[in-house]
Amino acid sequence: MKYHIDVHEFLLNKIKNGSRKVVIHLFDKNAQKIDIGDVLDVHSATSGNNIECIVKGIAIFDNFRDMIDVLTPQTLGYDNEKEIITACQNYLDKY
């Protein structure tokens, strides 16, 4: 299957240049449909740019702290843990 995912332009650029290796989403009803081998059409609404990525693995964490403890900041496209926490908090503040 192919799924469309909207992201901020800076995240799309990190995926394109290889500095971000994973896409992070809450495990909601839509995310539960995604399976290994599916294609994610990662899209920026601000620029219209996109990139297609193949799902190579799925990791489910109980909370953001567990995710941060397992994945390196570089895998997530950040320089350090503080940047990850700030980004996660900004995301959670929207919901």
Side-chain angles (χ1 to χ4, degrees):
M1 293 284 296
K2 185 174 182 177
Y3 297 94
H4 179 85
I5 297 177
D6 289 316
V7 298
H8 293 285
E9 183 71 18
F10 76 93
L11 290 178
L12 180 68
N13 289 333
K14 286 179 178 256
I15 294 168
K16 281 186 171 185
N17 71 25
S19 64
R20 184 170 186 150
K21 305 290 185 198
V22 298
V23 177
I24 303 167
H25 287 278
L26 294 177
F27 198 55
D28 60 10
K29 287 182 181 181
N30 290 330
Q32 291 176 26
K33 298 175 187 175
I34 298 171
D35 203 359
I36 294 172
D38 287 345
V39 175
L40 303 180
D41 176 27
V42 184
H43 176 264
S44 166
T46 55
S47 69
N49 293 328
N50 74 308
I51 186 171
E52 289 189 352
C53 305
I54 298 173
V55 177
K56 295 183 179 180
I58 297 172
I60 300 170
F61 299 96
D62 290 331
N63 54 59
F64 281 109
R65 178 81 252 166
D66 289 350
M67 178 191 70
I68 292 168
D69 288 343
V70 171
L71 301 175
T72 66
Q74 293 73 27
T75 300
L76 298 170
Y78 296 98
D79 293 327
N80 56 59
E81 186 176 300
K82 184 177 179 180
E83 287 182 352
I84 299 169
I85 292 169
T86 300
C88 289
Q89 188 61 52
N90 290 339
Y91 180 79
L92 291 174
D93 286 346
K94 291 170 52 179
Y95 295 98

